[in-house]
Amino acid sequence: MDGEINKSCGLDIHKRFVIATILSRSGEKQQHRFARDDDGILDLKNLVTSEKCDVVACESTSDFWVPIYEALIDHLPVIVGNARDMKAFTHKKTDKIDSEVIAKLALNKMVQPSRVFPKKHREFRSYVRLRLTLVRKRTDIKNEAHAILSSEMLHLGDVLTDIFGKNGRAILAGISSGKNIDQIIESLSPNVRKKSVQIREILDREISQSAAIRLQICLNLIKHLDEEIEVLEREIFNYAYQKHKREMEILMSVPGIGELGAATLIAEIGDFRDFPTGDKLASWLGIVPNVYQSADKYHNGRITKRGSKVARWILTQIAQAAARKKNSRLKEFFNRKKKTIGYAKAIIALARKIATIIWHLITNDEMYEDETGYQKGEVKKRKIVEADIFSVDERITIISGIIAIMGKKEGEST
């Protein structure tokens, strides 16, 4: 913020209460404790406005800061800072000390503000994050179902690519409900029914009652999660295409990025133009190495892992998909890196490259174009500029001279 800060308020926010410390240039200090509820937040607002605080600062602790931010932002500047940066200035830990340190940092303009998205965008991001949580829960339940089948020696993976596809679920539902083999095979699609002999061999055994009950519970949970994930995806895509249609189109033009990947990047990054360069975006995402310098010696460590975990996860998934894309410059880049730094680091390097590419594309409103220049199996020919070569007569004269010189030297040596 512009101008000198004469009075600041630092907040140490917890789940149930808030510690507020007000500091002034003259050295005056006062501390208050408020309940983190509607009445407490109203009392806090009345205090900072009556004391004419120039700024209020707090840490980005979970989402506890959100209702306080919403209540105060229309009345005075509110800075939400990174907790890791603020903790570097103190070695003691009490709620009152934390609140006072935050107030001191705000008073001296030493708090780097975090990016706070608009309320609608935060809701959009919460849909994306909840969907990821539910997908991971569904994966856990699918793994449990795999374990149940393995314990009963029902190896359906030998005949089905996905045992939780349409045919796989029909078989699992038949097993858990006690249907006979003929009824199960009859419910399958014609293509899978061709493998009826193999399916009979796998299902030609009795499943225990305990396994059947557990398997049925897993199937019910997976079905329920599928329905809830579908509801979330509908909300995600409605918002993404209404508010960020052009960004979605640009991102989906990049190899490896689909609808969900594009929506997740928009939800986690927000406005790409907040970053002056693609490298700044990569740094904010935490996919750049830690750098340590001493006596002109540089040491690059692991990536910083600062910023959104979800954004780093989806960029890694996108990089793995792009690394498998045929006839792609991104795949060529990955293959070059893999030879020198290995698979895992090459994936992170590709993720960082993709981050800088999508920043450039969106800030310049351009679609991605893969300029490989040749197709697989095609020999890439070197271009020759006629002006840079000798004429036929000149070449004959030069070659004749070389032969004469070589013949003369050969005669001298003999």
Side-chain angles (χ1 to χ4, degrees), residues 276-324:
T277 65
D279 291 334
K280 293 291 185 182
L281 172 59
S283 176
W284 183 81
L285 291 170
I287 53 175
V288 297
N290 277 301
V291 178
Y292 176 78
Q293 180 187 7
S294 179
D296 291 334
K297 293 182 179 179
Y298 287 88
H299 173 73
N300 290 333
R302 296 174 180 269
I303 59 173
T304 61
K305 292 188 178 181
R306 304 192 69 170
S308 170
K309 294 180 181 179
V310 178
R312 280 197 304 276
W313 167 79
I314 196 64
L315 273 173
T316 304
Q317 299 296 313
I318 289 169
Q320 290 177 346
R324 297 190 296 268

Side-chain angles (χ1 to χ4, degrees), residues 317-357:
Q317 299 296 313
I318 289 169
Q320 290 177 346
R324 297 190 296 268
K325 185 73 173 179
K326 295 181 179 180
N327 302 325
S328 167
R329 290 183 69 90
L330 296 178
K331 182 177 181 179
E332 293 176 5
F333 172 83
F334 169 76
N335 288 335
R336 288 198 308 270
K337 288 292 183 180
K338 185 174 67 171
K339 293 177 182 178
T340 56
I341 60 178
Y343 180 89
K345 291 182 179 179
I347 285 292
I348 298 300
L350 181 57
R352 183 185 184 280
K353 185 176 184 66
I354 291 173
T356 58
I357 288 173

Side-chain angles (χ1 to χ4, degrees), residues 32-75:
H32 303 271
R33 178 185 174 118
F34 301 95
R36 189 177 164 274
D37 55 21
D38 292 337
D39 293 335
I41 293 174
L42 180 61
D43 292 339
L44 173 62
K45 183 181 75 172
N46 292 334
L47 174 67
V48 296
T49 53
S50 63
E51 291 291 332
K52 297 182 180 179
C53 294
D54 297 316
V55 65
V56 174
C58 63
E59 297 174 349
S60 54
T61 308
S62 185
D63 287 333
F64 299 158
W65 58 271
V66 174
I68 297 173
Y69 178 88
E70 296 291 347
L72 299 179
I73 191 61
D74 293 333
H75 302 277

Side-chain angles (χ1 to χ4, degrees), residues 13 70 84 108 146 165 189 205 281 286 311-312:
I13 303 174
E70 296 291 347
R84 178 165 34 179
N108 294 284
H146 276 291
S189 64
R205 59 186 301 108
L281 172 59
R312 280 197 304 276

